[in-house]
Amino acid sequence: MADQLHVYDNVLQLIGNTPLIKLNRITKDFDGDFYAKVEAFNPGHSSKDRIALHILEEAERKGVLKPGDTIIETTSGNTGFSIAMVSIIKGYECILAVSSKSSPDKIDALKAMGAKVYVCPANVSADDPRSYYSVAKRLHEETKGSVYINQYFNESNIDAHFNTTGPEIWNQTNGEITHLIACSGTGGTISGTARFLKSKNPNIKIIGVDAYGSVIQKYHATREFDASEIYPYRIEGLGKNLIPTATDFDVIDSFVKVSDETAAHSAREIAQTEGLFVGYTSGAAIQGLKQLEAEGIFDSNSKVVVIFPDHGSRYMSKVFSDKWMRAQGFFDSEHNEEVQTIEY
Ligand code: PMP
């Protein structure tokens, strides 16, 4: 008999078990130890691989999903990419309704993975018939044999991180983690990871990162929906204009809000200090960490884990484009963005 090959059966077997990488330079002046959970190491380059796999396999187990069915979802890009990837391996059709705020690179990537994409206006209310929620709901009603994942209102989103991200971080830190810092969009990542970590040690502090222009932080503080908090902002995948049931507000201790500009500069700084090419919300998470450090919440015993949700390659026409940064007014007049061109 031939020796057993050291291979994976398919790409889905590479989901999860992402590395925890020590931050050495960006936090060098801070008290404590800081580690990044780098979700770009998932095969779909984001944390959303975990929920796509978990939710589709759970639907299969429950008999909700049958071969040849269609998967429908609303997504800022990452969840769509992950669902498209899982759908290919498992043989489902994939239809995605995305926000017009999503970068063109993300939309092209979804199409490359065989998904059918609907681009919907970003700055309309959730119940507007043109919003990506309404479009997805309508497509679900119109498409026979379709399943609507609905990540913002699907508790399985939390379970995916309770089952994987939480235990991984607990084991990787030998249970010594003192603080978790994570961006909150659907809230699935922070809620599931927090539920697991707090079940092991209720003293671990869980801090969410929210965007200016989103209602999430205010809702956490007051448990009231304050529409006056809502205005357009640039960061994709972070914050919300509604309250997702995939967020368990009770396991989150506090939220910190970050601006589009500081998060963008922090994303660029991560690449240049740590050699980690990660996305806009990773910048938001580090920006949140810096603001928390300035408030004096860490000390030399702190072991802080910050989640980096996705890869920088998805933001080449945004945060990692000097032209885009300048157009947003994120560079001062001194900033040098020239490339040396050698003439023939
Ligand atoms: N960062 C990015 C880039 C995302 O796409 C998302 C998901 N919307 C998040 C962070 C937040 O993750 P979660 O939805 O689990 O709160």
Side-chain angles (χ1 to χ4, degrees):
M1 203 166 83
D3 285 345
Q4 209 176 347
L5 300 179
H6 301 279
V7 301
Y8 295 95
D9 290 337
N10 62 54
V11 70
L12 304 185
Q13 292 185 340
L14 285 149
I15 294 175
N17 293 311
T18 54
L20 197 62
I21 302 179
K22 189 167 195 295
L23 297 171
N24 293 301
R25 290 171 69 190
I26 204 162
T27 51
K28 71 176 186 316
D29 297 327
F30 300 172
D31 281 339
D33 294 320
F34 298 85
Y35 305 91
K37 180 77 169 157
V38 187
E39 290 292 291
F41 281 93
N42 282 299
H45 302 154
S46 88
S47 53
K48 295 299 183 176
D49 283 2
R50 298 176 187 270
I51 73 163
L53 184 64
H54 177 77
I55 293 174
L56 294 197
E57 290 195 336
E58 194 183 55
E60 287 172 346
R61 274 193 298 275
K62 286 184 179 160
V64 179
L65 203 51
K66 299 174 294 301
D69 276 353
T70 300
I71 319 293
I72 297 176
E73 182 54 325
T74 55
T75 168
S76 65
N78 283 328
T79 305
F81 190 91
S82 298
I83 292 172
M85 183 180 80
V86 178
S87 296
I88 286 169
I89 302 300
K90 290 178 170 287
Y92 302 119
E93 296 294 320
C94 178
I95 298 181
L96 302 167
V98 312
S99 157
S100 57
K101 205 164 67 171
S102 303
S103 54
D105 340 346
K106 277 188 177 179
I107 292 169
D108 284 344
L110 299 178
K111 285 160 64 184
M113 295 300 277
K116 191 166 175 195
V117 182
Y118 290 75
V119 179
C120 309
N123 299 321
V124 296
S125 70
D127 54 8
D128 187 296
R130 296 163 298 172
S131 79
Y132 53 91
Y133 309 106
S134 305
V135 170
K137 252 166 75 186
R138 177 174 59 78
L139 290 169
H140 174 44
E141 282 155 18
E142 287 172 5
T143 311
K144 227 176 138 239
S146 66
V147 171
Y148 179 21
I149 301 287
N150 208 0
Q151 61 170 332
Y152 285 88
F153 298 96
N154 191 332
E155 293 259 334
S156 299
N157 178 350
I158 299 180
D159 299 339
H161 294 286
F162 181 89
N163 293 342
T164 65
T165 320
E168 287 171 30
I169 291 173
W170 180 256
N171 292 331
Q172 285 167 317
T173 60
N174 296 325
E176 290 172 16
I177 175 176
T178 58
H179 299 77
L180 174 78
I181 300 175
C183 292
S184 197
T186 66
T189 306
I190 190 166
S191 305
T193 308
R195 267 189 198 168
F196 183 85
L197 293 175
K198 288 214 170 185
S199 76
K200 291 290 188 183
N201 174 3
N203 295 324
I204 297 171
K205 289 278 171 268
I206 310 293
I207 304 152
V209 180
D210 191 22
Y212 285 105
S214 152
V215 289
I216 300 293
Q217 183 201 39
K218 184 82 175 276
Y219 182 81
H220 179 259
T222 64
R223 299 300 154 113
E224 275 173 28
F225 181 84
D226 180 357
S228 73
E229 291 283 300
I230 301 170
Y231 56 85
Y233 57 92
R234 304 249 169 253
I235 312 175
E236 296 162 40
L238 169 62
K240 214 58 216 165
N241 56 358
L242 49 73
I243 308 301
T245 57
T247 307
D248 179 354
F249 286 89
D250 293 338
V251 291
I252 302 167
D253 292 288
S254 62
F255 276 92
V256 58
K257 277 205 179 203
V258 300
S259 71
D260 288 339
E261 179 168 2
T262 53
H265 284 294
S266 287
R268 294 167 75 103
E269 195 186 347
I270 297 166
Q272 298 197 358
T273 54
E274 304 292 340
L276 287 169
F277 191 45
V278 290
Y280 202 170
T281 52
S282 304
I286 281 292
Q287 182 56 33
L289 187 156
K290 288 180 191 170
Q291 292 171 204
L292 294 163
E293 197 277 336
E295 287 171 19
I297 77 156
F298 306 128
D299 60 34
S300 56
N301 296 320
S302 298
K303 283 208 173 7
V304 182
V305 172
V306 53
I307 296 184
F308 285 176
D310 72 353
H311 195 261
S313 57
R314 297 212 165 130
Y315 305 89
M316 290 312 296
S317 59
K318 293 204 167 172
V319 172
F320 298 109
S321 155
D322 285 346
K323 203 169 140 199
W324 184 85
M325 289 288 283
R326 183 165 291 287
Q328 313 311 308
F330 291 172
F331 283 153
D332 60 29
S333 54
E334 310 289 287
H335 185 87
N336 180 354
E337 61 209 53
E338 275 176 23
V339 178
Q340 299 299 321
T341 305
I342 309 296
E343 303 291 346
Y344 286 93

